[in-house]
Amino acid sequence: MDFSLTDEQRLIQDTVRAFVDERVLPVAVENDIAHKLDLSLIEGMAELGLLGIVIPEEYGGAGLDFVSEALSCEEIERGEAAFRTLISVHVGLNSLSLLRYASEEQKQRWLTPQARGEKLACFGLTEPAAGSDVASMRTSARREGDVYVLNGQKNWISYATVADHALVFAKTDPGAKHKGISAFVLEKGMKGFTSRDTEHKLGIWAGSTGELFFENVEVPAENLIGEEGQGFEIAMYSLDQGRFTVAAGACGVIRVCLERSVEYARERETFGQPIGKYQFVQDMIAEMVLGYETSKLLVMQAAWLKDEGVRNTRETSLAKWHATESAFKAAHLAIQVHGAYGYSAEYGIERYFRNARAPIIYEGTTQIHKLMQAEHALGLRKLNGRDGAISPIAAWGPALLAREPGPPVAAG
Ligand SMILES: Cc1cc2nc3c(=O)[nH]c(=O)nc-3n(C[C@H](O)[C@H](O)[C@H](O)COP(=O)(O)OP(=O)(O)OC[C@H]3O[C@@H](n4cnc5c(N)ncnc54)[C@H](O)[C@@H]3O)c2cc1C
């Protein structure tokens, strides 16, 4: 088992770390307070190739591996969650799905400009009445000659108002539950397709969250991705990719909370000595160390499976659940280590706390991930979905051969 990074992986880690130190962190608190999405930093990410990091070079991407993607997400979220969110929706949820399910012509048309960072993309799955329960979505797509007519609404969509393209899921067969969902690329400017920002949310103030509205939008049939009825499968594949970036980004939150807490605990004195000398403070530091290293191991396990081309739904779900919960806990503890200063916007610690909350909700809530893990363990769902493969270090796996799988449980 080799835990070392290649020269190429170290280079991308160093490069993204320097970008975050020089450009993201110096303006992070200011942009957060101002609720400002800094597009110049997105341009900087595009120049570094981050908007197509794991997309092959033939489609305009950087052609790097999933370990590099994880390292980049960790560095980026150490700076600002809003920009890791962009990698999650643009690369993870959207571009990787196009890479797998789109036709060659569709890839040239949408994937290549996305991977080059010339166009931004979002992912429209969630609706007001359908989050975890994807199959209950109401947005409809009715075939009429050469077009599908879309009607409905999506909410809580990251980069909804900023993106040029959206991968949108709609029911082509309303009676067929998850088998009646299809996926379409919608382009901004299509008649009847509008968007709006979501105001007053707990965190990610320097990012973008919004709604998508479809009012008799005539979407050309050539914008259908994959087959009619394949949308649920595409959405679940997308989530395997997006969740991985969420988990990797969470490692960045834990790391920055740990680093800043260690630094502060060495300097801040009470009762004549640095607070780091007190065991109660050491306990908080130790919890962060545990959270960081266990999260990182789970993320790297998932990265390895992805790079091997092995189905990793279970391992990615485990990494996402554990890393996002650990990040929120680390941010909570970091505030405590910093005392009242941790509570102040100026110190920038409370920003990590607010921003670490949403990842416990999106791309599968913690409860959905617990349910997935338990169902895998109990044999109620096929190990790792369809393929039945499991990480080689999960020694209990072979003893738990899947029995008849139950109905699919989604998780937007
Ligand atoms: C900041 C932010 C950005 C987002 N970005 C996107 C995006 O880009 N694209 C997109 O499509 N969506 C996005 N979402 C939406 C997100 O994916 C959903 O909020 C999420 O899937 C949960 O759905 P819900 O909010 O409807 O909660 P619900 O599904 O209604 O769940 C409510 C509660 O019930 C629990 N619950 C539900 N079902 C079960 C069950 N079977 N067993 C046990 N407990 C259960 C949940 O865990 C939760 O605690 C975003 C959300 C946020 C907050």
Side-chain angles (χ1 to χ4, degrees):
M1 202 171 285
D2 185 358
F3 285 96
S4 52
L5 299 180
T6 63
D7 290 345
E8 187 178 59
Q9 289 161 349
R10 282 217 175 279
L11 180 64
I12 183 82
Q13 185 183 43
D14 291 345
T15 307
V16 182
R17 187 173 292 175
F19 172 76
V20 168
D21 285 337
E22 289 159 21
R23 296 195 51 193
V24 179
L25 278 169
V27 291
V29 170
E30 187 184 317
N31 284 342
D32 187 60
I33 293 171
H35 287 61
K36 177 183 165 189
L37 172 64
D38 196 333
L39 292 173
S40 73
L41 294 177
I42 293 179
E43 279 167 27
M45 286 170 68
E47 281 163 20
L48 293 180
L50 296 179
L51 299 189
I53 182 159
V54 282
I55 304 301
E57 289 175 24
E58 61 179 302
Y59 296 115
L64 296 180
D65 62 2
F66 286 95
V67 170
S68 300
E69 184 182 45
L71 297 170
S72 302
C73 286
E74 176 176 333
E75 296 305 327
I76 289 288
E77 191 150 358
R78 185 176 65 88
E80 171 52 55
F83 300 126
R84 190 277 307 148
T85 306
L86 180 64
I87 298 179
S88 297
V89 299
H90 176 94
V91 182
L93 294 170
N94 193 313
S95 296
L96 281 170
S97 303
L98 294 185
L99 182 66
R100 167 121 178 200
Y101 290 98
S103 67
E104 192 53 39
E105 202 184 325
Q106 291 172 327
K107 285 178 190 161
Q108 296 298 341
R109 189 165 163 202
W110 295 304
L111 175 60
T112 300
Q114 286 175 198
R116 288 191 188 131
E118 294 162 1
K119 299 278 182 190
L120 293 182
C122 68
F123 180 81
L125 186 65
T126 304
E127 301 186 357
S132 307
D133 185 6
V134 170
S136 67
M137 72 170 58
R138 290 182 190 160
T139 296
S140 63
R142 194 180 65 250
R143 180 88 193 228
E144 281 186 13
D146 292 342
V147 301
Y148 286 89
V149 181
L150 260 75
N151 278 290
Q153 178 186 350
K154 301 285 171 183
N155 67 348
W156 292 107
I157 306 305
S158 303
Y159 289 87
T161 58
V162 180
D164 301 282
H165 306 153
L167 186 59
V168 168
F169 296 82
K171 281 270 178 77
T172 36
D173 182 355
K177 293 198 173 165
H178 63 279
K179 288 193 174 146
I181 299 172
S182 303
F184 302 88
V185 171
L186 267 68
E187 294 169 331
K188 280 286 166 60
M190 284 179 162
K191 194 161 173 274
F193 177 31
T194 53
S195 60
R196 181 171 73 194
D197 278 323
T198 303
E199 307 285 351
H200 312 304
K201 54 188 199 276
L202 176 68
I204 327 182
W205 294 346
S208 160
T209 317
E211 293 170 272
L212 300 174
F213 301 94
F214 321 108
E215 202 182 329
N216 292 318
V217 188
E218 293 190 1
V219 181
E222 65 249 29
N223 290 32
L224 173 73
I225 302 297
E227 306 285 319
E228 207 176 278
Q230 208 180 6
F232 187 83
E233 177 192 323
I234 297 173
M236 293 306 110
Y237 175 81
S238 310
L239 289 167
D240 277 354
Q241 316 311 323
R243 281 169 187 162
F244 172 72
T245 60
V246 175
C251 293
V253 175
I254 311 171
R255 197 177 101 222
V256 70
C257 289
L258 172 62
E259 287 171 348
R260 299 257 326 247
S261 298
V262 164
E263 193 186 341
Y264 190 77
R266 283 190 179 132
E267 283 169 12
R268 177 72 171 179
E269 292 194 358
T270 63
F271 307 101
Q273 59 175 345
I275 59 169
K277 295 271 185 185
Y278 299 117
Q279 286 187 2
F280 281 131
V281 175
Q282 290 175 358
D283 177 79
M284 294 191 274
I285 303 283
E287 289 285 351
M288 289 187 231
V289 171
L290 179 67
Y292 179 67
E293 297 208 16
T294 50
S295 300
K296 185 120 183 183
L297 284 168
L298 288 173
V299 168
M300 286 303 155
Q301 171 178 252
W304 180 80
L305 289 169
K306 283 177 187 293
D307 285 328
E308 292 287 302
V310 177
R311 184 85 188 266
N312 50 83
T313 302
R314 189 195 73 88
E315 290 78 7
T316 298
S317 153
L318 194 60
K320 192 273 181 187
W321 162 25
H322 181 69
T324 56
E325 290 285 354
S326 300
F328 186 61
K329 183 175 180 183
H332 163 67
L333 293 174
I335 292 179
Q336 199 67 13
V337 170
H338 285 76
Y341 295 103
Y343 196 73
S344 111
E346 197 187 329
Y347 263 66
I349 300 289
E350 58 85 45
R351 181 174 63 95
Y352 292 110
F353 178 73
R354 285 186 286 101
N355 288 349
R357 191 61 187 84
I360 298 173
I361 299 170
Y362 58 57
E363 306 225 22
T365 64
T366 282
Q367 289 69 35
I368 292 293
H369 289 294
K370 285 184 177 177
L371 188 143
M372 284 172 69
Q373 293 304 322
E375 287 186 351
H376 272 113
L378 290 162
L380 300 175
R381 129 187 339 237
K382 278 193 175 175
L383 285 177
N384 256 330
R386 291 159 300 173
D387 305 336
I390 194 163
S391 157
I393 66 162
W396 51 268
L400 293 166
L401 288 177
R403 287 174 282 278
E404 278 306 297
V409 173

